[in-house]
Structure formats: C-alpha cells, structure tokens
Amino acid sequence: MGKSQKKRSMRRHNPMRVPDSHLPQGLASASETSSKTQAILPIIQKMEGTDAVERKWACVAVSNLIQNDPSTRRLLQGKNVVGALITRLTDSEEEVVIEAMGALRNLCIDGGYDICAEMYNKSILVPLRTFVPKLSTTLSQYLDGPKNAPENAQKLVYEFSDNVITVLWCLSETSNKALTAINEMKLAPFLMSFLAAREKIPLGPVTAAAQCLYVLTDDNYPAIADIRADGGYIACLMSLLNPQDNGTTPESADPRTVTLRVLASGILRNVAPIPPPSAASAIDIDKEIVLPQLQPVIASISLADASASVLQLIEQQASSAPDIEQLSLKNTPKSDHKSPAEIELERLEARLRTVQLALEILTGACATLPDPDPDDEDGDEDIANENDDDAPEMDTDMEMAVDDVAGDTPAQALPPLVAPLLALVQPTTLSFPPLAAPSPHPPTTSALSAIHLAALECLNNIFLALARGGGAAPECGRARRVGRRTGLGQERRQAMWEVAAGVLWGVASVCRGALDPEPAQMQALMALCDGAGADAQLRVKCIGALECLAMNPGAAFVDANARIAEYLLSMLPGAANAKRRRRGDGADAAGGGVADRHLRDEGAPYDGNFRAGGSLRGSRRASTA
C-alpha cells in the first residue's frame, strides 16, 4: 500500500495554471483557434523596432494577449517571442526591460514547463544573474531610506523583483539542469532579504521569494545547506508562523499572509532537521509546526462556495484581453492591469492554490513510514492517460462508512485531519466539467481538481499510517468520490480514481471486518481493476480493498464474500477468464488475498464459500505458480 509523496519527478504542470496538453498541436491548429492571429506579426515587428515606446507597447501586448489563451501563446511562440523578449532584457530603455520581464513572467505561469525549458535553453539566466545583485543593492538602499534611493527604486523593488523571482521559481521546477544553474547563483541571501523586509514592502515579492525558497529547498541539498547554515534565516522563517507578526486578521487579511505561513512551514520541513544552536533544533517540525499551522488552512475554505463565487464573477467579467487595436502607444496600459472581477478571481485562485500547497506539505508529513513499493520511474513528463473506449464508466458513487475502532496509535495526531480532507474531496460543478463543455474558468478548474487529488493523497497516507500503526480509525461519515471517463486534458479524473483506490484500501485495512461491503463499491473496484488503463499498482490497490471488504464476518455478507472470492480466483493462473489472465500481475495479490485471509478465518460464516468454491486448491496453485 504505497504512500503518496511529492517528488521532483512528479511535478506540477506549472506553479499556477491549467495544463493545455489536450489542445491540438502545431501552428496551423493554433491559427485556427486564435482570434488574434492578425495581431501577432505587428507585435513582433514593434518589439524589434527602433522606437522604445513601441517596444514597450509590444511587451505589454504579449502580456495582455496570452492570459488564458494558449492558442495565441503558441502562435507567439512560433514567432520566437521568447527569444525576442529575452533580447529586450538588455534593452537600453529600462521601461522596456521591466515590461519584457513581466511578459516573460506571465509566459512562465501560463505556458508551464515547455516555455520555461525554452527560456533556459535561450540563456535567460545570463541577464537574470545581473539583475539579482542590482535588485539586492536597490532593496538595501530603499530600506535604508526611500527618499535617498534611486528614483525608480520602488518600481524595481515592488514589480521588477517580483517578476524576476517568479521566473527563477518557475525555472527551478523545470529541470535538473536549470536547478543546478540556479543553485550556482546562491539565491538564499537574496530571497531571505525579502522575507526579512516583509513589513516594509508589498507582499507580492515577499510571497514570490518564499515560493522560490520552498521549491529550492525541496530535496535540494545546496539550498538546504545554505538555509541551515544561518540561524538568522531559521529565526526569520519561525517568525513568519506568528499570525500577529504578519498582521493577519480572521476575515480581512491579505490571503498572501496565510500563504506565507504555509510556505514558511513547508520550508522549515524541507530543511529539517535543523542543527543547533538554533532553538528550532529541538522542535518536532511535523507535530509542532506543520500540523497545527496547516490544519486550520485546509479547514477554512468551502470549495462549493468558492466555485459559486467564481461563476458569479465570470458573469460580471468583461473580456479580459483588450482589443489590440485600442492599445494606445501613448497611454499603454500596464501589463498587470486587471478589472475588479479579474482581481477577485485571482484572489480566489490564490486562496485555492494555498490550500493545495498546504495539502502537499501535509501529504509529506503524513508519509511517516517507508514506502515498500518505491516508484521505479524517473521521468520528467507528466503522467498521461489515454482515453480508451474500453475504460469503465465510473459514474457510481463510492461511499464508505467508517466506524470507530478502539486502540492507540503513534499517528494519533492524524485522525483530526480526516474530516476537512473529506470535505475537500467532494467535487464541485467546476471541478470536472463534462468533456463536451470546457470549463468557463480553467484556472479555477485546475486548482479545484488539484485540491481534490491532493486531499485524496493525504488521506491515503493517513490511513496507511493508521493501518501500519494498528491505530484507531476516525469516524469519517460518508464520502463521495465521483469520476467519469477520462480524455486528453482530463487526466486528473483518472488520477483521482487511482489515488482513491489507495485510500479505499487504507480505510478498508484499518477497519478490516467492520465495513459493510456494498454492491456498488465492489462493482466500481472490479471495473477499475479490469479497466484497460489499469497498471499493476492500481490493480493491487483494488484487490487489496476488495480483500478487506470481503472480511466482514456478518452472516448477512456471505453473498458479497462469495462474489469477491469468485472474482479474485478468476485472476489466478488457470482461470477461465482469458482477459484477466493476460493481466497476470494481479494474480499474486489475488491468490495471496484469498489464501492469507481465508485460511486464518476458518470459523467465519463465509468459510463455506471458500471451501465450496475450491478456493483452497486455487490458492495453492497461485502460491506454487
């Protein structure tokens, strides 16, 4: 029963936005689906022109046109917009440099890993290396006395530094090559200076710096060592955990103050164990920081309310991308100009992403035991699931009622997390829209589906810890897991079922013999196990859950036990079902489940099923196969 854990080889698509792998590839397809095809060439021409005002206008136009518009972004990519913008980072006009940096930042966020890799390959780190010391000096001057700082100091500290740090953050998640190059820049002092100055500067660059540090310290020893080596850094991170220090109030606080506390918790967990003489060296980071800091965060949001608010804002929102012909060269709007509805949508998305981040950190904290089945894949690509016509339709609600089971457990801090996690598993109207009806707001859909998946992964680890620790199962009530047939761009539907199978196995293992097997549950697990896209790990999870469900000793469930036993036996060598025989990687689990459980329960009411069906002979064949 493998734990879920965030690993660098299983990266998020990008820090904030939705994957667009489902869209048709190629410039021809992009041209057909973009309404701004005619604007592309003038933008590139102006960006490379001799007029600084036009170059600035072109950079702003890129930022405005790519927002949630992958087709136009791909058209711009086809015209080498990335290379053109990187060239503008050495422009003689500072305003052009600032707007080019903003456009590159937006491309990173909306475009994800492909664009980040292109930026790295086109040497974006060369100008970024020159920006870091300049920004450090400007920040010091600004903090010493804003009146004595350069005239553009505020813009550099507030806006430009935010964009530079965000690009560094995105590049750090792109590849090991990019991460190694960024490690050589020794960014810890630069990034920590923004955290230390959080009371004097806006939260934008502060939060970006914390995000970058969180990524850099994720299983990356050079950055971890840099943070551990300075007690002042640890003290600064610890001070971020105090809500009063951040000016947080329950309802009116900037949501980024909560994000900062979540990130500080994650960074401290990444660098643990903290060496003496720091006072934090004696602290159990998971128990005393991560759980108490992050449990209120995941319990503080209603996904249904957030989804309803997004739908209301979409109705109010005017077109987010202005008409390119109406952009005046003299009155160029800022690249971050947004309507009130857009600002509120981004605030809601940021809050959802904070919850997602908290869940990722909690998932690691709940993975308290070694994984007996380490992943044997080390690819850099996201997992993709094909839309197979033979895949089962998963419209059946899977409902599990978990009763209290007495006992003490080393993982006794984990059960209180279950109730808020179950609430975060419940899909909303925006979480998994039908394949034929795209989401009205893809960023929200991406955030919601990521939260559901992360909550399931956290539940998986909790029940794994409880099952291995022989501990008490919390009373979960009834939780619904809803899924449908997957397709390109809808991979999280399949991922939800894959993780859910592990959760169900964990719950059933903790409550072995206490769960009432229901036909809908059994059918869903069997269909998932038999699905064309099911791999060995998924089948083992389904078989494990079925095995535990079959162990209810009640006389009323003898028929359910017989059905499960018949299904497991059909997977053994020599069984008549040729389809399942081809998937023999589940046979050992099936045979072991029948033999191990039933041979120890000869007095159970269902033992008659075991003997009448020839299970003993089948189990022995499996054990000698």
PDB file of all heavy atoms in Angstrom, residues 220-231:
ATOM      1  N   ASN A 220      16.773  19.447  -2.250  1.00  0.00           N
ATOM      2  CA  ASN A 220      17.870  20.078  -2.997  1.00  0.00           C
ATOM      3  C   ASN A 220      18.908  20.538  -1.983  1.00  0.00           C
ATOM      4  O   ASN A 220      18.790  21.622  -1.402  1.00  0.00           O
ATOM      5  CB  ASN A 220      17.324  21.249  -3.819  1.00  0.00           C
ATOM      6  CG  ASN A 220      18.410  21.976  -4.586  1.00  0.00           C
ATOM      7  OD1 ASN A 220      19.376  21.388  -5.052  1.00  0.00           O
ATOM      8  ND2 ASN A 220      18.246  23.292  -4.706  1.00  0.00           N
ATOM      9  N   TYR A 221      19.932  19.708  -1.763  1.00  0.00           N
ATOM     10  CA  TYR A 221      20.846  19.926  -0.643  1.00  0.00           C
ATOM     11  C   TYR A 221      21.553  21.274  -0.669  1.00  0.00           C
ATOM     12  O   TYR A 221      21.712  21.898   0.395  1.00  0.00           O
ATOM     13  CB  TYR A 221      21.872  18.798  -0.549  1.00  0.00           C
ATOM     14  CG  TYR A 221      22.794  18.976   0.631  1.00  0.00           C
ATOM     15  CD1 TYR A 221      22.351  18.701   1.920  1.00  0.00           C
ATOM     16  CD2 TYR A 221      24.081  19.474   0.464  1.00  0.00           C
ATOM     17  CE1 TYR A 221      23.166  18.900   3.019  1.00  0.00           C
ATOM     18  CE2 TYR A 221      24.914  19.674   1.554  1.00  0.00           C
ATOM     19  CZ  TYR A 221      24.453  19.391   2.834  1.00  0.00           C
ATOM     20  OH  TYR A 221      25.257  19.600   3.905  1.00  0.00           O
ATOM     21  N   PRO A 222      22.056  21.778  -1.808  1.00  0.00           N
ATOM     22  CA  PRO A 222      22.760  23.072  -1.759  1.00  0.00           C
ATOM     23  C   PRO A 222      21.937  24.184  -1.117  1.00  0.00           C
ATOM     24  O   PRO A 222      22.450  24.940  -0.295  1.00  0.00           O
ATOM     25  CB  PRO A 222      23.050  23.358  -3.237  1.00  0.00           C
ATOM     26  CG  PRO A 222      23.149  22.014  -3.868  1.00  0.00           C
ATOM     27  CD  PRO A 222      22.100  21.189  -3.176  1.00  0.00           C
ATOM     28  N   ALA A 223      20.657  24.290  -1.485  1.00  0.00           N
ATOM     29  CA  ALA A 223      19.813  25.334  -0.885  1.00  0.00           C
ATOM     30  C   ALA A 223      19.508  25.014   0.566  1.00  0.00           C
ATOM     31  O   ALA A 223      19.454  25.912   1.410  1.00  0.00           O
ATOM     32  CB  ALA A 223      18.523  25.480  -1.689  1.00  0.00           C
ATOM     33  N   ILE A 224      19.275  23.741   0.872  1.00  0.00           N
ATOM     34  CA  ILE A 224      19.013  23.345   2.259  1.00  0.00           C
ATOM     35  C   ILE A 224      20.193  23.728   3.143  1.00  0.00           C
ATOM     36  O   ILE A 224      20.022  24.282   4.238  1.00  0.00           O
ATOM     37  CB  ILE A 224      18.740  21.829   2.335  1.00  0.00           C
ATOM     38  CG1 ILE A 224      17.421  21.493   1.644  1.00  0.00           C
ATOM     39  CG2 ILE A 224      18.729  21.348   3.785  1.00  0.00           C
ATOM     40  CD1 ILE A 224      17.167  20.008   1.495  1.00  0.00           C
ATOM     41  N   ALA A 225      21.402  23.435   2.676  1.00  0.00           N
ATOM     42  CA  ALA A 225      22.595  23.743   3.467  1.00  0.00           C
ATOM     43  C   ALA A 225      22.747  25.247   3.687  1.00  0.00           C
ATOM     44  O   ALA A 225      23.143  25.688   4.781  1.00  0.00           O
ATOM     45  CB  ALA A 225      23.842  23.191   2.764  1.00  0.00           C
ATOM     46  N   ASP A 226      22.416  26.044   2.683  1.00  0.00           N
ATOM     47  CA  ASP A 226      22.525  27.499   2.820  1.00  0.00           C
ATOM     48  C   ASP A 226      21.570  28.026   3.897  1.00  0.00           C
ATOM     49  O   ASP A 226      21.912  28.940   4.649  1.00  0.00           O
ATOM     50  CB  ASP A 226      22.222  28.181   1.481  1.00  0.00           C
ATOM     51  CG  ASP A 226      23.338  27.983   0.466  1.00  0.00           C
ATOM     52  OD1 ASP A 226      24.453  27.602   0.877  1.00  0.00           O
ATOM     53  OD2 ASP A 226      23.082  28.190  -0.737  1.00  0.00           O
ATOM     54  N   ILE A 227      20.368  27.478   3.958  1.00  0.00           N
ATOM     55  CA  ILE A 227      19.397  27.930   4.967  1.00  0.00           C
ATOM     56  C   ILE A 227      19.804  27.447   6.352  1.00  0.00           C
ATOM     57  O   ILE A 227      19.759  28.194   7.337  1.00  0.00           O
ATOM     58  CB  ILE A 227      17.984  27.430   4.619  1.00  0.00           C
ATOM     59  CG1 ILE A 227      17.531  28.002   3.276  1.00  0.00           C
ATOM     60  CG2 ILE A 227      16.983  27.819   5.717  1.00  0.00           C
ATOM     61  CD1 ILE A 227      17.424  29.499   3.237  1.00  0.00           C
ATOM     62  N   ARG A 228      20.216  26.186   6.455  1.00  0.00           N
ATOM     63  CA  ARG A 228      20.626  25.640   7.756  1.00  0.00           C
ATOM     64  C   ARG A 228      21.813  26.399   8.347  1.00  0.00           C
ATOM     65  O   ARG A 228      21.947  26.502   9.572  1.00  0.00           O
ATOM     66  CB  ARG A 228      21.024  24.172   7.604  1.00  0.00           C
ATOM     67  CG  ARG A 228      19.866  23.201   7.437  1.00  0.00           C
ATOM     68  CD  ARG A 228      20.427  21.809   7.217  1.00  0.00           C
ATOM     69  NE  ARG A 228      19.393  20.793   7.119  1.00  0.00           N
ATOM     70  CZ  ARG A 228      19.629  19.531   6.754  1.00  0.00           C
ATOM     71  NH1 ARG A 228      20.861  19.156   6.454  1.00  0.00           N
ATOM     72  NH2 ARG A 228      18.633  18.657   6.692  1.00  0.00           N
ATOM     73  N   ALA A 229      22.683  26.910   7.478  1.00  0.00           N
ATOM     74  CA  ALA A 229      23.939  27.495   7.947  1.00  0.00           C
ATOM     75  C   ALA A 229      23.760  28.841   8.638  1.00  0.00           C
ATOM     76  O   ALA A 229      24.685  29.311   9.304  1.00  0.00           O
ATOM     77  CB  ALA A 229      24.902  27.654   6.773  1.00  0.00           C
ATOM     78  N   ASP A 230      22.599  29.475   8.500  1.00  0.00           N
ATOM     79  CA  ASP A 230      22.406  30.812   9.066  1.00  0.00           C
ATOM     80  C   ASP A 230      21.229  30.778  10.048  1.00  0.00           C
ATOM     81  O   ASP A 230      20.073  30.628   9.648  1.00  0.00           O
ATOM     82  CB  ASP A 230      22.127  31.817   7.948  1.00  0.00           C
ATOM     83  CG  ASP A 230      22.225  33.262   8.424  1.00  0.00           C
ATOM     84  OD1 ASP A 230      21.669  33.570   9.496  1.00  0.00           O
ATOM     85  OD2 ASP A 230      22.842  34.075   7.715  1.00  0.00           O
ATOM     86  N   GLY A 231      21.547  30.911  11.328  1.00  0.00           N
ATOM     87  CA  GLY A 231      20.499  30.907  12.340  1.00  0.00           C
ATOM     88  C   GLY A 231      19.497  32.023  12.161  1.00  0.00           C
ATOM     89  O   GLY A 231      18.327  31.903  12.541  1.00  0.00           O
TER      90      GLY A 231
END
